[in-house]
Amino acid sequence: MLLKQGDRVVFFGDSITQAHPGYVSFIGDMLKSLYAELQIEVINKGVGGDKVTSLLARVERDVIAEDPDWVSISIGINDLWHGENGVPLGEYEEKLDELIRILKARTSAAILLCTPSVLNEDPDSDENAKLKGYVEASERVGAKHHVTIVPIHHAFIRGLRRARGTTDKALFTTDGVHLNPAGAALFGTTWLKTAGAFEDLLPKTI
């Protein structure tokens, strides 16, 4: 388990992060249930409509001022989804790099960088093909700065591929973007597993 006694975790992102109930409340509930002795503090700093440029504008007030031990970043959907009002891929990578450089310079926090989830529930859509560029950009930035990547996009795409043709119901979202309870659980479980949760609960296999 990467999180330690009394750690403070700031979740920084857009409406997917802001949502309540959502993946942040799922993570908080699981930490309180499975690792109550650690007394982890969860702080939600998601704001609907945000893009990577929005995070840069409020990083001082909403993250640095909180003196976190961990910062979880989830951004990139609106940067593409908002079209002309979004953030082009090259600028997205540049600004995400700047954001992480600021956090590493101004805080002692470790960083968990979540790749963008999905833009609809067709894993082979044009939108998800374009989103893959943002996913790969976030992975490059994460590798450059040696931060932990949370493979959210891969989990969602694999989940959608597994279920293809089995149901006409939405699996993980309410509108192709915002998460339903199953989507919040998949996001939260992927995050927790990346943070090292569950390993001490499951039997060792031979």
Side-chain angles (χ1 to χ4, degrees):
M1 183 64 172
L2 299 179
L3 308 181
K4 304 302 180 187
Q5 178 74 38
D7 275 355
R8 172 180 287 190
V9 186
V10 171
F11 288 85
F12 201 32
D14 52 27
S15 59
I16 296 173
T17 298
Q18 181 185 36
H20 185 81
Y23 82 85
V24 176
S25 54
F26 177 89
I27 291 169
D29 289 345
M30 293 294 280
L31 289 173
K32 288 177 183 176
S33 297
L34 298 176
Y35 300 96
E37 74 283 1
L38 295 181
Q39 297 182 310
I40 304 298
E41 183 179 0
V42 170
I43 301 171
N44 191 329
K45 292 294 183 178
V47 172
D50 266 13
K51 300 176 277 288
V52 68
T53 48
S54 315
L55 299 194
L56 271 171
R58 62 186 180 90
V59 64
E60 178 74 41
R61 179 187 72 241
D62 285 353
V63 181
I64 295 171
E66 295 287 351
D67 190 25
D69 299 290
W70 290 87
V71 179
S72 174
I73 302 170
S74 173
I75 201 69
I77 293 295
N78 293 330
D79 301 74
L80 176 58
W81 193 32
H82 287 184
E84 293 182 357
N85 295 317
V87 178
L89 179 56
E91 184 182 356
Y92 170 81
E93 185 166 355
E94 175 187 321
K95 297 301 185 184
L96 185 60
D97 181 89
E98 182 181 352
L99 177 64
I100 292 180
R101 282 193 285 107
I102 290 171
L103 288 170
K104 290 178 77 72
R106 299 287 308 282
T107 77
S108 59
I111 297 170
L112 287 161
L113 179 58
C114 304
T115 57
S117 52
V118 288
L119 264 177
N120 53 54
E121 299 217 352
D122 177 359
D124 298 317
S125 69
D126 290 343
E127 291 84 0
N128 279 316
K130 293 177 182 177
L131 185 63
K132 189 176 179 182
Y134 288 75
V135 172
E136 291 171 347
S138 66
E139 291 171 338
R140 284 193 298 271
V141 172
K144 175 181 175 180
H145 291 286
H146 307 289
V147 304
T148 300
I149 297 290
V150 186
I152 298 299
H153 180 75
H154 298 286
F156 274 76
I157 292 296
R158 288 171 183 168
L160 291 171
R161 290 194 192 286
R162 280 187 61 185
R164 195 201 315 256
T166 63
T167 179
D168 293 328
K169 295 173 61 178
L171 297 174
F172 302 126
T173 72
T174 59
D175 58 0
V177 169
H178 299 95
L179 306 182
N180 64 18
L186 178 58
F187 195 123
T189 300
T190 304
W191 192 99
L192 286 163
K193 187 171 176 58
T194 302
F198 310 126
E199 296 299 324
D200 58 332
L201 305 176
L202 303 175
K204 302 296 182 183
T205 57
I206 298 175

